[in-house]
Amino acid sequence: MPLSAYDLTGRTAFVTGAASGIGRASAVLLARAGAHVHCADRDEEGLAGTGELIAEQGGTARLHLLDVTDRAALTSAVAAAGPLHVMAAVAGVMHSSTVLETRDEDLDRVFAVNFKGVLHACQAAARAMIDAQIRGSLVTMASGAVDAANAGLLCYSAAKAAVVQLTKTLATELGPYGIRVNAVAPGWIRTPMTDRHSAELQQRIEETMVRVSPLGRVGEPEDVAHAVLHLASDASSFTTGQILRPNGGVTMPW
């Protein structure tokens, strides 16, 4: 059956940022596809909620309370997951400041989560896959911000651009091991991360994003989760080093 390519039964997946938004939606969908999912996040309450959702839908999960900036804790959790088939490095933070107002500590904090957190997750997962001779899949989380010049998003955009380069470099280096590496670059998605403004401003932003999208709507976490599942599964077995853009057509790079 064609849809069997999306079946992850018997496989193990690890998802960072799993307590909410895209991370939660990805963890739940991977579990629905049959994977045993290791969910990592620093938000204990949100993480527990994700575990409950997975259990309610008949899936299995293990929860890891950790911050992705803690490399030792992240590496230990990945090792504890056993033979790993999928890594979805979703955890991220948002920061807004103009270039002239950006402080070193702002840049350091965003890069620690949005780039180093992804790098360290991929390093740990790739080493585990190589040791176990598993032809797995690494899925990184970039952003539509890499395709635009958004005022006030230097730290975020630069870190996500670094994730894109990491993805392409890793795809080249890990290809000989049969390990695929791809990125998802979402557009504006309705998540706790984007819901950070006053109600009035939030409504104006959503209306703007609806207006500029050819599809006439904003994205939901599940829209991105399906892209993660595609890249995690055998349905994308001949895809590596690519950037998948569930962005409603807001940007259409060559």
Side-chain angles (χ1 to χ4, degrees):
M1 296 294 292
L3 292 182
S4 65
Y6 290 96
D7 186 2
L8 300 181
T9 300
R11 302 187 193 184
T12 300
F14 197 104
V15 181
T16 69
S20 64
I22 293 170
R24 168 179 281 183
S26 297
V28 170
L29 188 60
L30 291 172
R32 286 180 59 193
H36 175 62
V37 184
H38 289 256
C39 305
D41 205 289
R42 65 179 184 176
D43 175 1
E44 185 172 10
E45 183 178 353
L47 195 60
T50 300
E52 291 172 2
L53 284 172
I54 290 174
E56 288 171 2
Q57 297 184 26
T60 61
R62 179 177 174 182
L63 309 183
H64 302 269
L65 184 63
L66 60 84
D67 189 318
V68 294
T69 63
D70 185 339
R71 184 175 189 173
L74 178 58
T75 301
S76 177
V78 172
L84 194 63
H85 301 83
V86 177
M87 167 59 75
V90 181
V93 295
M94 177 65 74
H95 172 79
S96 298
S97 64
T98 67
V99 173
L100 299 185
E101 294 171 336
T102 296
R103 305 170 300 171
D104 284 352
E105 50 264 43
D106 298 329
L107 197 60
D108 291 344
R109 181 177 69 88
V110 175
F111 263 79
V113 178
N114 292 6
F115 176 66
K116 284 188 175 182
V118 175
L119 169 64
H120 296 159
C122 288
Q123 286 177 324
R127 287 169 180 148
M129 291 174 183
I130 291 171
D131 288 345
Q133 297 185 328
I134 291 175
R135 300 170 72 85
S137 173
L138 308 182
V139 183
T140 64
M141 194 57 54
S143 167
V146 304
D147 297 317
N150 297 299
L153 291 184
L154 169 69
C155 296
Y156 182 79
S157 300
K160 292 299 187 178
V163 168
V164 169
Q165 193 58 46
L166 167 66
T167 301
K168 294 178 179 180
T169 303
L170 266 178
T172 302
E173 294 177 350
L174 297 179
Y177 297 97
I179 299 171
R180 299 178 297 105
V181 191
N182 295 283
V184 179
W188 201 92
I189 307 298
R190 189 181 284 127
T191 70
M193 181 183 290
T194 58
D195 187 13
R196 65 188 194 280
H197 308 286
S198 67
E200 181 181 354
L201 179 55
Q202 194 72 21
Q203 182 177 348
R204 291 206 306 268
I205 292 173
E206 287 204 19
E207 288 173 349
T208 298
M209 299 314 298
V210 167
R211 189 166 57 250
V212 299
S213 168
L215 295 180
R217 70 175 180 90
V218 297
E220 299 292 345
E222 291 73 20
D223 293 316
V224 185
H226 280 280
V228 171
L229 172 60
H230 175 71
L231 294 175
S233 73
D234 291 343
S236 60
S237 63
F238 196 51
T239 302
T240 197
Q242 304 303 309
I243 315 301
L244 185 55
R245 293 173 166 88
N247 64 18
V250 172
T251 61
M252 302 183 187
W254 176 260

